[in-house]
């Protein structure tokens, strides 16, 4: 033990021990990972159906031929995502605020918001897409109001806004009552207290949770293929029939992962940052 | 200026205030002392209309503000409240904390307030901290910002709810200095406090609360040197 305030020139006993342990852990992790990878690479091709699977799912020729087309179709996914996301945010926020409204005259809004979140959180997404995506155009509306883009997107918006509303509401509930006390004690109105004091903090708190919903939305855009739009999943189906090969689906999966993995990492990063701030 | 008559308040079965009578004249500083749970905080929150009273009258400038159904907003603008836990808005800079209420309630733009607010920060030794966020400030600095925030609404009366209780001992003095300054400027104030030395030095009137009643009130000399009630004597011997 050095008595001066200077950092010791030699690492201390504890530091030496921890360094040795770290080296050992890395070595063990490296060896075990290598063993598992080798086992997969050796064992999977030994399976009796491997040749057939390789030909129909991992066909290099089909992959290169269809990949540009899939990428192109994915632009539609991104477009649908891009116009749905802001509308979901707005509707979700609106519903969240409605659920906490106290004024008797606005009770219908509160009732509507409660029923709304119950209904749309209680239904499978695909069911809502079918009902809205096929049902509303079935009314015989004139173009462009019969477009499956509009009604399919609306289905996604309705479902996701219900989830976002619940997340935001939990965020509002997480803000300590002393914050609204402080705002009200200054003479601010209830609405201003919500808008300037509670909501900004609540939304910041639930940003990571909403990021997870954003990732889920990006994936669920593919469900719209069931009501018409030729987005990437539908396009992969077309190629599958054309080449009698499943590789386009693998291509589509690669494209999805290229987008969703960074988004998920980013959401985790936000979550960790948030947790550190709270400590 | 402020006159409380027979204030009653219960939370569920628990009666917190059991008939409080209190007179506060303009420019006076009144200190509420008493054990935790004696009703000091509840009384201050009642005056600010955060926790409406069950019964009794609160006369403020000729109006009974305890009247059920009265819009509390205009009253609260004139009665400031500073909290034990500061309750600054963590997502705003110190300056924005102070300017929010005047901007939204009185319609003063940030630009219009900036000079006056900067002057307030300077006056309380925080000129160099005006654009800091609450988590960049010490407890004492946060509490001084909270006082400035209440002052910026130019209230007629300021209520302080044990504002030094959450502070490290070495930071208490800087906050008490602010109160001393306000006292010198003639601000009407009611303090719930455990700082007996401070109450003795500056208060016009000291009230000893026990179980939701004002058991004894008088000048600091009367209360601290010659308390009539046994309970007051017991309490003071515990805290002094």
């Amino acid at each position: 033990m050095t008595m001066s305030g200077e950092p010791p020139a030699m690492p201390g006993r504890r530091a030496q021990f921890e360094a040795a342990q770290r080296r050992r852990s890395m070595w063990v992790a490296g060896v075990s990972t290598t063993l598992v990878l080798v086992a997969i690479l050796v064992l999977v091709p030994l399976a009796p159906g491997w040749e057939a699977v390789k030909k129909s799912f991992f066909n290099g020729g089909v992959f290169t031929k269809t990949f540009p087309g899939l990428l192109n179709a994915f632009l539609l996914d991104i477009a649908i995502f891009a116009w749905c996301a802001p509308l979901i945010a707005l509707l979700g926020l609106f519903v969240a605020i409605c659920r906490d409204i106290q004024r008797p005259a606005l009770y219908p809004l509160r009732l509507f918001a409660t029923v709304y979140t119950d209904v749309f959180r209680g239904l499978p997404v695909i069911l809502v897409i079918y009902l809205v995506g096929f049902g509303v155009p079935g009314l015989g509306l004139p173009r462009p109001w019969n477009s499956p883009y509009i009604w399919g997107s609306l289905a996604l918006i309705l479902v996701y806004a219900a989830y976002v509303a619940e997340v935001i509401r939990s965020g509002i509930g997480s803000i300590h009552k002393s914050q609204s006390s402080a705002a009200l004690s200054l003479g601010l109105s209830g609405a201003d207290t919500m808008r300037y004091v509670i909501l900004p903090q609540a939304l910041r708190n639930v940003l990571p949770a909403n990021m997870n919903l954003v990732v889920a939305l990006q994936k669920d855009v593919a469900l719209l293929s069931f009501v018409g739009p030729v987005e990437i999943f539908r396009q992969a189906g077309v190629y599958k029939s054309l080449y009698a090969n499943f590789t386009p689906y693998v291509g589509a999966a690669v494209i999805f992962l290229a987008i969703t993995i960074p988004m998920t990492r980013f959401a985790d990063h936000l979550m960790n940052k948030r947790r550190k701030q709270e400590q | 200026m402020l006159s409380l008559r027979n204030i009653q308040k219960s939370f569920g079965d628990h009666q917190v205030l059991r008939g409080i009578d209190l007179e506060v004249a303009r420019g006076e500083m009144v200190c509420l002392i008493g054990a935790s749970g004696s009703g000091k905080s509840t009384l201050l929150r009642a005056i600010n209309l955060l926790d409406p009273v069950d019964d009794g009258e609160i006369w403020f400038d000729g109006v009974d503000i305890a009247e059920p159904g009265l819009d509390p907003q205009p009253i609260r603008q004139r009665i400031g409240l500073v909290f034990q836990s500061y309750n600054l808005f963590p997502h705003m800079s110190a300056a924005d904390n102070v300017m929010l209420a005047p901007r939204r309630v009185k319609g003063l733009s940030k630009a219009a307030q900036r000079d006056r607010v900067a002057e307030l920060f300077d006056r309380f030794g925080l000129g160099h901290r005006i654009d800091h966020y609450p988590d960049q400030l010490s407890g004492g600095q946060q509490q001084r910002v909270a006082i400035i925030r209440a002052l910026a609404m130019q209230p007629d009366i300021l209520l302080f709810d044990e504002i030094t209780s959450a502070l490290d001992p070495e930071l208490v003095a800087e906050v008490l200095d602010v109160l001393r300054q306000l006292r010198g400027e003639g601000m009407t104030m009611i303090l719930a406090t455990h700082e007996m030395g401070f109450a003795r030095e500056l208060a016009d009137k000291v009230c000893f609360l026990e179980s939701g009643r004002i058991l004894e009130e008088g000048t600091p000399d009367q209360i601290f040197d010659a308390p009539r009630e046994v309970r007051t004597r017991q309490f003071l011997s515990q805290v002094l």
Side-chain angles (χ1 to χ4, degrees):
Chain A
M1 188 104 174
T2 48
M3 292 307 285
S4 69
E6 302 277 313
M10 281 284 292
R13 282 165 71 195
R14 165 66 50 186
Q16 279 179 20
F17 172 73
E18 278 172 0
Q21 252 196 345
R22 259 198 308 278
R23 278 195 298 275
R24 199 180 122 80
S25 305
M26 275 166 64
W27 193 76
V28 171
V31 168
S32 79
T33 310
T34 315
L35 280 178
V36 170
L37 282 178
V38 167
I40 291 172
L41 290 176
V42 171
L43 291 179
V44 171
L46 290 179
W50 170 244
E51 278 310 316
V53 167
K54 193 171 137 192
K55 229 169 44 204
S56 53
F57 281 90
F58 301 102
N59 186 317
V62 174
F63 188 88
T64 34
K65 253 184 281 178
T66 57
F67 197 75
L70 289 173
L71 259 186
N72 203 34
F74 190 64
L75 291 180
L76 180 57
D77 289 76
I78 291 183
I80 293 173
F81 168 81
W83 71 59
C84 284
L87 292 172
I88 288 168
L90 284 179
L91 182 60
L93 182 60
F94 174 74
V95 171
I97 292 171
C98 285
R99 286 204 68 173
D100 287 321
I101 276 178
Q102 300 296 335
R103 284 195 197 175
L106 297 179
Y107 184 75
L109 271 183
R110 184 177 178 163
L111 185 69
F112 152 79
T114 311
V115 172
Y116 169 83
T117 44
D118 281 354
V119 167
F120 285 100
R121 285 196 313 151
L123 288 172
V125 187
I126 187 68
L127 195 57
V128 178
I129 291 175
Y130 264 89
L131 289 177
V132 179
F134 285 134
V136 181
L139 293 173
L141 299 170
R143 281 163 63 88
W145 295 106
N146 57 1
S147 157
Y149 289 91
I150 296 180
W151 301 108
S153 301
L154 179 71
L156 273 183
I157 291 168
L158 287 174
V159 172
Y160 271 87
Y163 284 104
V164 168
E166 276 311 284
V167 167
I168 291 177
R169 205 164 79 102
S170 76
I172 291 173
S174 74
I175 304 302
H176 198 268
K177 236 181 114 13
S178 61
Q179 285 287 307
S180 60
S181 286
L184 292 173
S185 81
L186 290 163
L188 284 172
S189 67
D192 276 352
T193 298
M194 180 55 92
R195 178 169 159 206
Y196 291 98
V197 177
I198 308 296
L199 265 186
Q201 299 185 58
L203 292 180
R204 202 174 54 176
N205 284 358
V206 297
L207 189 62
N210 275 331
M211 270 305 293
N212 284 327
L213 286 176
V214 166
V215 176
L217 172 68
Q218 181 65 74
K219 291 181 296 175
D220 278 355
V221 168
L223 293 173
L224 286 200
S225 61
F226 289 105
V227 293
V230 185
E231 49 68 67
I232 186 168
F233 182 61
R234 184 76 171 253
Q235 185 64 53
V238 171
Y239 284 141
K240 179 209 70 181
S241 309
L242 195 63
Y243 296 98
N245 192 291
F246 287 102
T247 305
Y249 286 129
V250 176
V254 168
I255 292 172
F256 267 111
L257 289 178
I259 292 285
T260 51
I261 289 183
M263 276 162 77
T264 314
R265 289 281 129 230
F266 182 61
D268 286 354
H269 166 73
L270 287 180
M271 196 93 80
N272 285 335
K273 215 168 96 180
R274 181 91 232 133
R275 207 166 289 145
K276 268 187 208 132
Q277 274 172 5
E278 272 159 16
Q279 276 163 9
Chain B
M1 162 169 233
L2 188 76
S3 171
L4 311 186
R5 303 208 187 127
N6 193 29
I7 296 299
Q8 316 254 357
K9 173 76 186 172
S10 299
F11 291 113
D13 286 340
H14 181 50
Q15 213 184 345
V16 187
L17 301 178
R18 306 163 185 253
I20 300 268
D21 295 286
L22 180 65
E23 298 287 331
V24 182
R26 192 174 291 275
E28 231 179 11
M29 175 166 147
V30 174
C31 282
L32 310 175
I33 62 171
S36 299
S38 57
K40 306 187 295 291
S41 292
T42 309
L43 184 59
L44 294 182
R45 292 176 63 93
I47 298 172
N48 185 260
L49 307 185
L50 276 180
D51 290 331
V53 299
D54 299 334
D55 218 338
E57 297 163 11
I58 304 175
W59 290 91
F60 174 60
D61 253 7
V63 181
D64 178 12
I65 60 171
E67 179 82 35
L70 191 88
D71 178 10
Q73 242 186 282
I75 308 295
R76 289 184 187 138
Q77 294 164 28
R78 301 177 52 199
I79 303 180
L81 174 57
V82 183
F83 301 84
Q84 180 179 341
S85 49
Y86 337 131
N87 300 2
L88 291 182
F89 308 133
H91 59 298
M92 293 181 193
S93 70
D96 286 341
N97 261 277
V98 172
M99 294 193 282
L100 175 66
R103 186 159 63 89
R104 294 302 305 167
V105 177
K106 297 185 171 172
L108 297 170
S109 73
K110 284 191 190 183
Q113 294 184 57
R114 186 74 195 189
D115 287 347
R116 204 170 53 86
V117 168
E119 191 192 317
L120 277 173
F121 274 80
D122 281 338
R123 203 162 99 205
F124 298 114
L126 286 172
H128 58 305
R129 292 280 186 263
I130 187 164
D131 287 319
H132 283 56
Y133 280 76
D135 63 1
Q136 300 169 315
L137 300 173
S138 73
Q141 291 170 337
Q142 289 190 55
Q143 192 59 291
R144 281 185 282 159
V145 173
I147 295 172
I148 294 172
R149 182 172 70 177
L151 273 177
M153 285 300 285
Q154 300 181 304
D156 297 321
I157 181 166
L158 267 180
L159 314 174
F160 298 91
D161 186 5
E162 297 190 23
I163 61 167
T164 56
S165 297
L167 294 177
D168 292 336
E170 73 271 22
L171 301 178
V172 169
E174 66 186 52
V175 173
L176 293 184
D177 276 342
V178 171
L179 294 181
R180 206 167 276 128
Q181 225 171 313
L182 291 175
R183 176 88 182 89
E185 291 162 15
M187 173 60 82
T188 311
M189 300 190 270
I190 307 179
L191 278 78
T193 186
H194 289 298
E195 300 292 332
M196 297 305 156
F198 183 77
R200 178 166 205 159
E201 173 195 336
L202 286 178
D204 294 295
K205 181 153 70 184
V206 178
C207 302
F208 173 66
L209 269 78
E210 182 172 86
S211 321
R213 286 199 188 82
I214 294 182
L215 206 62
E216 185 168 0
E217 69 173 84
T219 64
D221 290 344
Q222 283 168 347
I223 298 291
F224 290 112
D225 295 333
R228 287 183 321 257
E229 300 285 337
V230 181
R231 277 300 299 131
T232 315
R233 248 173 274 150
Q234 283 172 347
F235 173 75
L236 288 174
S237 71
Q238 280 161 10
V239 296
L240 289 180

